[in-house]
Amino acid sequence: MKIITSEPSLINHILNLNTVQKNKFIQKYGNFLALPQVEIKDLTQKPVSSIESFLLDGSSLITDLQLLVSLAGRNEIHSYLEIGTWRGESVYNVAKEVEDCTTINLSVADMKKLGWNINYAEQHAILSKKNPKILHLEANTKTFDFGSLNKKYDLIFIDGDHSYDMVLSDTRNVFKHLVHENTVVVWHDYAYSAQKIRYEVFQAILDGVDPENHKFLYHPKNTMCAVFMKDKLQATAFDEFAMPDKIYNVSLSEVISFNKEIR
């Protein structure tokens, strides 16, 4: 307490602790502590051939990327929108299955104005910009007019700022302007890991989606994602301490210089 008294701003770190966020969550959604889980394979209509990733800090899990590519490969998916691009790994992989791909992210200039590290800012879309078919829009989604896109998307990935306010804002805008009857929506960082729910983001998802649509929300196993999907899916209850019942075989190959090798 002495430290907080001398530096009051530190109280924000305490308030943001996941245990505090969980307690806030329980006050509103006491009977809904986790989404039901589904298997990625049950969302897939054809095998995923390969996933490309830098395997660096801040990247999606390989299983997160597998989930997106699996969904993108479904027969009814023809368009994709992504909020939050980072290095561009997710949209780059999705674009192997979907030609109509769009991302929305802050411009490098805006990130620099915010005082963000220059190298961090300039890494945004470093991979996805190697595919000229991907449309990169530069905007702050807090003020962006989503209606100006003037279309609905088949698959949407929300992976921008993960604070409660921004996840709530992005979710509401997506469902208000961009979703049609069969749109699939995926949120990244619903969980800190495959077995540790991130309650700040979880509450923003539930608050941003109409209550009657909560029954269409799932947590794909082995991912940090939540998904909104109206298909009838076989689901199981989440267990943070569930014993592992599967082992996966992952093969890696290294591209020495992605600048030269990736097209």
Side-chain angles (χ1 to χ4, degrees):
M1 287 301 296
K2 289 182 179 179
I3 296 175
I4 293 174
T5 301
S6 62
E7 196 169 344
S9 64
L10 290 176
I11 192 67
N12 293 324
H13 295 284
I14 295 176
L15 293 174
N16 286 329
L17 288 173
N18 202 42
T19 51
V20 175
Q21 295 297 336
K22 182 176 181 179
N23 288 334
K24 287 175 58 180
F25 182 93
I26 289 172
Q27 292 175 19
K28 185 169 186 179
Y29 296 107
N31 62 340
F32 199 2
L33 285 177
L35 294 177
Q37 292 195 310
V38 293
E39 300 277 357
I40 295 178
K41 65 180 178 63
D42 292 335
L43 308 178
T44 305
Q45 291 178 345
K46 65 180 183 179
V48 174
S49 57
S50 66
I51 298 292
E52 292 172 83
S53 170
F54 291 115
L55 298 179
L56 294 174
D57 184 53
S59 295
S60 296
L61 297 177
I62 292 297
T63 46
D64 299 334
L65 297 175
Q66 180 195 13
L67 168 67
L68 287 172
V69 176
S70 295
L71 292 169
R74 293 171 65 91
N75 295 331
E76 65 272 23
I77 303 297
H78 304 289
S79 59
Y80 172 81
L81 176 78
E82 174 176 287
I83 296 173
T85 308
W86 190 201
R87 298 186 185 96
E89 292 154 291
S90 48
V91 67
Y92 182 85
N93 281 283
V94 166
K96 299 173 186 177
E97 301 289 342
V98 178
E99 287 198 10
D100 181 1
C101 288
T102 301
T103 78
I104 306 175
N105 201 86
L106 285 174
S107 69
V108 172
D110 284 340
M111 286 184 269
K112 290 179 179 178
K113 287 179 183 177
L114 291 170
W116 295 1
N117 183 282
I118 293 175
N119 288 338
Y120 171 78
E122 291 183 346
Q123 282 187 53
H124 279 73
I126 193 172
L127 180 58
S128 55
K129 284 186 176 177
K130 290 187 173 295
N131 183 340
K133 293 183 179 180
I134 298 172
L135 175 61
H136 292 82
L137 301 178
E138 296 182 340
N140 184 334
T141 58
K142 190 172 184 178
T143 57
F144 179 68
D145 177 10
F146 283 79
S148 67
L149 293 171
N150 198 31
K151 68 181 293 184
K152 310 294 184 182
Y153 291 85
D154 301 323
L155 177 61
I156 298 173
F157 185 39
I158 300 176
D159 189 24
D161 183 325
H162 299 303
S163 66
Y164 170 86
D165 289 340
M166 282 307 301
V167 176
L168 179 66
S169 175
D170 287 342
T171 299
R172 285 177 171 170
N173 277 314
V174 160
F175 275 80
K176 180 179 180 180
H177 297 287
L178 308 180
V179 167
H180 59 66
E181 180 62 26
N182 296 308
T183 297
V184 177
V185 181
V186 180
W187 294 263
H188 199 236
D189 292 288
Y190 153 79
Y192 285 106
S193 67
Q195 293 178 285
K196 185 68 67 176
I197 296 169
R198 185 170 179 169
Y199 282 95
E200 179 180 16
V201 174
F202 187 15
Q203 181 163 349
I205 293 170
L206 293 180
D207 288 350
V209 175
D210 289 338
E212 63 267 25
N213 283 325
H214 286 178
K215 62 182 179 237
F216 301 119
L217 293 168
Y218 303 93
H219 173 207
K221 286 184 179 180
N222 308 110
T223 78
M224 300 194 300
C225 298
V227 61
F228 169 86
M229 194 172 189
K230 289 190 175 179
D231 288 28
K232 290 184 178 180
L233 301 173
Q234 183 176 353
T236 56
F238 172 77
D239 180 356
E240 182 179 356
F241 301 105
M243 293 293 289
D245 59 356
K246 298 182 183 69
I247 188 165
Y248 297 87
N249 187 329
V250 179
S251 298
L252 295 178
S253 60
E254 179 181 348
V255 176
I256 302 301
S257 173
F258 90 93
N259 285 313
K260 295 179 180 179
E261 299 297 332
I262 291 181
R263 299 289 186 267

